[in-house]
Amino acid sequence: MPRWRFSLIGIILVLLPCHFLQLASAQITHPLEVNALQAVRRALKDTGKNLNSWKKTDPCVSNWTGVICLMDPNDGHLHVQELRLLNMKLSGKLAPSLGLFSHMTVLNFMWNNLTGSIPKEIGNLITLKLL
């Protein structure tokens, strides 16, 4: 086998893992938003067990119930764009951490048994189109 083929194979073997590492690091939810979702979950009582998929995995990659994400090319992270928790027999209060979702456009908790007022932190969501 000619030497240039060995060199080409060597270059590919060096660059390929780097490419996969870059892809893997880009496909994670922003850590601040993971913490915010966990706070939202702690504030809710889920008698219908609709949020059982909300485990200690990545919310966007693991397809948590009601969580819709998008990739932000500026920071390379996935961000929560929509939180659709309609008619899931949830009770409790809306967590102030909902105001931490910088890319949120839809926040829908209709037809649940939530108490209390809407947290003022939701006013920080400048991209919000539907509440």
Side-chain angles (χ1 to χ4, degrees):
M1 190 181 275
R3 289 187 116 178
W4 65 269
R5 280 193 174 166
F6 284 120
S7 298
L8 182 61
I9 291 171
I11 290 171
I12 290 171
L13 291 176
V14 168
L15 294 178
L16 198 58
C18 295
H19 177 69
F20 283 118
L21 283 173
Q22 184 181 11
L23 285 176
S25 67
Q27 294 296 314
I28 62 170
T29 306
H30 194 283
L32 184 65
E33 295 190 9
V34 174
N35 293 337
L37 281 171
Q38 290 169 343
V40 168
R41 177 64 185 99
R42 285 190 302 273
L44 298 172
K45 186 182 277 187
D46 179 22
T47 57
K49 301 192 186 319
N50 293 299
L51 303 181
N52 280 349
S53 65
W54 288 38
K55 304 288 183 204
K56 294 185 182 208
T57 57
D58 188 287
C60 295
V61 177
S62 302
N63 297 320
W64 286 12
T65 301
V67 178
I68 300 168
C69 302
L70 69 99
M71 171 66 76
D72 184 343
N74 295 322
D75 69 4
H77 282 98
L78 293 165
H79 291 270
V80 177
Q81 181 181 26
E82 298 182 18
L83 195 53
R84 294 181 177 262
L85 302 176
L86 293 85
N87 199 22
M88 292 194 178
K89 301 177 185 166
L90 302 172
S91 59
K93 296 182 179 186
L94 294 177
S97 62
L98 285 167
L100 297 174
F101 297 104
S102 59
H103 294 70
M104 182 76 71
T105 59
V106 175
L107 181 58
N108 197 336
F109 282 90
M110 289 192 314
W111 303 305
N112 286 295
N113 191 23
L114 301 177
T115 59
S117 60
I118 296 173
K120 65 180 182 198
E121 292 82 359
I122 290 179
N124 297 333
L125 302 176
I126 59 173
T127 57
L128 192 63
K129 296 176 183 173
L130 174 69
L131 173 62

